[in-house]
Amino acid sequence: MARRTAPAAQPSPRDRYRAQVRAEIKEHAWEQIAGSGASALSLNAIARRMGMTGPALYRYFGSRDELITALVTDAYRSVADTCLAAAAAPDASHASGADRLRTLAHALRNWALADPHRYFLIYGTPVPGYHAPEDVTLIAAEIMAVLLDVCAALPADGGEAGPDEAGFDAHLAGHREWDRGHPAPAPVLRRALAVWTRLHGALSLELAGHFTGMGFDPELLFEAELDGLVRGTRPDGVQ
Amino acid sequence: MARRTAPAAQPSPRDRYRAQVRAEIKEHAWEQIAGSGASALSLNAIARRMGMTGPALYRYFGSRDELITALVTDAYRSVADTCLAAAAAPDASHASGADRLRTLAHALRNWALADPHRYFLIYGTPVPGYHAPEDVTLIAAEIMAVLLDVCAALPADGGEAGPDEAGFDAHLAGHREWDRGHPAPAPVLRRALAVWTRLHGALSLELAGHFTGMGFDPELLFEAELDGLVRGTRPDGVQ
DNA sequence: TGTACATCAGTGAACGCGCGTTCACTGATGTAC
DNA sequence: TGTACATCAGTGAACGCGCGTTCACTGATGTAC
């Protein structure tokens, strides 16, 4: 009983080594993705770079797909942790909703800029034939929950919505299973979705290089969009 | 002189055949991209599907990269033509700026939904190591020009901009080489960029399947975002 | 209208390459008594 | 403390596969006189 044969027991040196090699494999995988994209990920190439032979990697990952799944899951975990940390920053409790949203957005942008390929592995072109495991949908829900919390803390949007905005609010009121029981009213849900899609829109075009050669600073565009989101669609919403 | 040896002369039967086979190769290429993604594009596989041998394709495309370039260029041309046609619709001259923007946005969405892989080939994860030819930057400029025209025709945004929005306007006023001489003031440039990034944000997340399982209708989200763009950031802007 | 020639689409063999994955194995590390 | 055994990381050979690309060629199509 105290023999530490239980699966969650203290890690043995061998376990420690395994975890370390697994991590090293993933690091090399990220480097390779950065250089040649996710679909060009090659186990043999990774092994070569690590001074090992290809088959050795099968001790650590059952297949190429399993490795990709681990990378995707790690990426999701990383962005979710980044968002959670930003929303729970030391001064978050004293901060206004607007400041919290700004902090969250900046954290997301910095995360994306730190490793664009990691961002695209999640939010970019879907890898054909690849289906994400269920874990990531849970992590994605964590991100949505944080986003909803922050948006709920924003000052209410005082002005009236446009017809299609109001229509979407009405629709959301009846299709909000995804909010996992969050008490926010439909306009807040819509605002959270707007935060997601607008920040992604500006960020992904920037990362993909669509603004290069246009001359303006993508960061300022991001800030301007964020400004609009913080202030709400109507100026009355300004606190 | 009249011997039609000039390059732009009437197409001979052989030229016609060449063009037809080239088109057929590209069609099969698109099918393959739809199934396995752009990076898995294989000349041999295309040839097989066409009942030919691999080397035969080298009569039509000098290399795999040349084929991809042709696909990218075609995709850009197609989306640009779609936008141009939408902006120049028969009733466009009588239509309000708001209606023209709606028409343009809907045309873009339909174009994207008709072939998501084509959309992602342009706006998705950059193909690593691939650099687009200069043609496409010219086509991209055409798209921006249409967008600027339509946005310039919108009723002015009556309300005052937020600090970061105003800051970006000031920045744009000094970094507008990309507008190719369009006379619109900076706020219009900003609005055009917002149209681009917001529609792309909603559209790309929808196409990538990030909304599946959330229960709401992505089209209504698109409409709501479009609503906000048409009405401007301030309600005073409503015509 | 008919013949000689040039053009060029497509073939088949071959090149070297890298891939994912399996399998039987060696040898080092850790465990049990 | 020492010996016998089990575990397991990593190797090397092999599997079948598909890839992009080249090359010399065949045979049909079109052109010129």
Side-chain angles (χ1 to χ4, degrees):
Chain A
M1 211 195 254
R3 284 232 169 228
R4 72 161 150 86
T5 42
Q10 268 209 347
S12 69
R14 256 184 187 159
D15 290 342
R16 219 185 296 272
Y17 179 77
R18 269 188 73 78
Q20 190 180 313
V21 175
R22 264 184 75 101
E24 199 178 336
I25 290 170
K26 289 196 280 193
E27 266 176 48
H28 282 88
W30 283 117
E31 282 173 23
Q32 203 174 307
I33 285 178
S36 321
S39 48
L41 225 190
S42 151
L43 293 185
N44 288 309
I46 293 170
R48 225 177 291 126
R49 285 229 175 175
M50 293 178 65
M52 299 168 69
T53 61
L57 297 203
Y58 284 78
R59 293 272 161 200
Y60 303 93
F61 294 95
S63 66
R64 200 189 91 116
D65 249 44
E66 208 173 277
L67 172 57
I68 292 184
T69 294
L71 296 174
V72 171
T73 307
D74 283 4
Y76 262 104
R77 187 67 266 160
S78 173
V79 67
D81 287 346
T82 299
C83 291
L84 288 166
D91 54 318
S93 50
H94 313 296
S96 67
D99 284 344
R100 290 181 64 198
L101 179 54
R102 287 208 146 88
T103 303
L104 178 63
H106 290 145
L108 179 67
R109 179 159 189 272
N110 288 334
W111 182 86
L113 287 174
D115 191 344
H117 297 91
R118 189 173 49 172
Y119 183 89
F120 280 123
L121 192 63
I122 295 182
Y123 294 113
T125 309
V127 180
Y130 176 80
H131 279 289
E134 198 162 348
D135 313 19
V136 310
T137 68
L138 293 176
I139 302 177
E142 283 184 50
I143 299 172
M144 268 324 294
V146 169
L147 202 52
L148 284 172
D149 277 344
V150 172
C151 287
L154 286 171
D157 194 333
E160 70 207 286
D164 292 327
E165 292 171 336
F168 188 44
D169 283 349
H171 175 76
L172 278 178
H175 298 83
R176 47 182 300 162
E177 308 83 12
W178 54 273
D179 68 11
R180 320 195 110 215
H182 201 284
V188 171
L189 303 194
R190 175 162 60 83
R191 183 118 80 146
L193 291 174
V195 169
W196 186 17
T197 59
R198 290 186 198 177
L199 297 187
H200 165 70
L203 209 39
S204 68
L205 288 178
E206 174 186 359
L207 295 177
H210 285 279
F211 299 150
T212 57
M214 292 184 75
F216 66 82
D217 182 352
E219 181 174 5
L220 297 182
L221 188 155
F222 186 86
E223 295 298 335
E225 282 295 274
L226 181 54
D227 202 0
L229 287 163
V230 165
R231 291 155 53 89
T233 49
R234 307 290 149 245
D236 315 39
V238 178
Q239 52 176 0
Chain B
M1 209 197 255
R3 284 231 170 230
R4 71 165 152 83
T5 39
Q10 267 210 346
S12 68
R14 252 182 189 159
D15 290 342
R16 218 186 295 270
Y17 179 77
R18 269 189 73 80
Q20 189 180 315
V21 175
R22 263 183 77 99
E24 198 179 336
I25 290 170
K26 289 195 281 193
E27 267 176 47
H28 282 89
W30 282 117
E31 282 172 23
Q32 203 176 307
I33 285 178
S36 319
S39 49
L41 224 191
S42 151
L43 292 184
N44 288 309
I46 292 171
R48 225 177 291 125
R49 284 227 176 178
M50 291 178 67
M52 298 166 70
T53 62
L57 297 204
Y58 284 78
R59 292 273 162 200
Y60 302 94
F61 295 95
S63 67
R64 200 189 92 115
D65 249 43
E66 207 174 278
L67 172 56
I68 293 183
T69 295
L71 295 174
V72 171
T73 308
D74 283 5
Y76 263 102
R77 189 66 265 161
S78 172
V79 67
D81 287 346
T82 299
C83 291
L84 288 168
D91 54 318
S93 49
H94 313 295
S96 68
D99 285 345
R100 289 180 65 198
L101 179 54
R102 287 207 144 91
T103 302
L104 178 62
H106 290 144
L108 179 67
R109 181 160 188 270
N110 289 332
W111 182 86
L113 287 174
D115 192 343
H117 297 91
R118 189 174 48 174
Y119 184 87
F120 280 123
L121 191 62
I122 295 181
Y123 295 112
T125 309
V127 180
Y130 176 80
H131 278 288
E134 197 163 347
D135 313 19
V136 310
T137 67
L138 293 176
I139 302 177
E142 284 184 50
I143 299 173
M144 269 324 294
V146 168
L147 203 51
L148 284 172
D149 277 343
V150 172
C151 287
L154 285 171
D157 196 333
E160 70 207 285
D164 292 327
E165 292 171 335
F168 188 44
D169 283 348
H171 175 76
L172 279 178
H175 299 82
R176 48 182 299 163
E177 308 82 14
W178 53 274
D179 69 11
R180 317 195 111 216
H182 200 286
V188 170
L189 303 193
R190 176 163 58 85
R191 182 118 83 146
L193 291 174
V195 169
W196 185 18
T197 59
R198 291 187 198 177
L199 296 188
H200 166 70
L203 209 38
S204 69
L205 289 178
E206 174 186 0
L207 294 176
H210 285 278
F211 298 150
T212 58
M214 292 185 76
F216 66 82
D217 182 352
E219 181 175 3
L220 297 182
L221 188 155
F222 187 85
E223 294 298 334
E225 283 296 272
L226 181 53
D227 203 359
L229 287 163
V230 166
R231 291 154 52 90
T233 49
R234 307 291 149 241
D236 316 40
V238 178
Q239 48 175 1

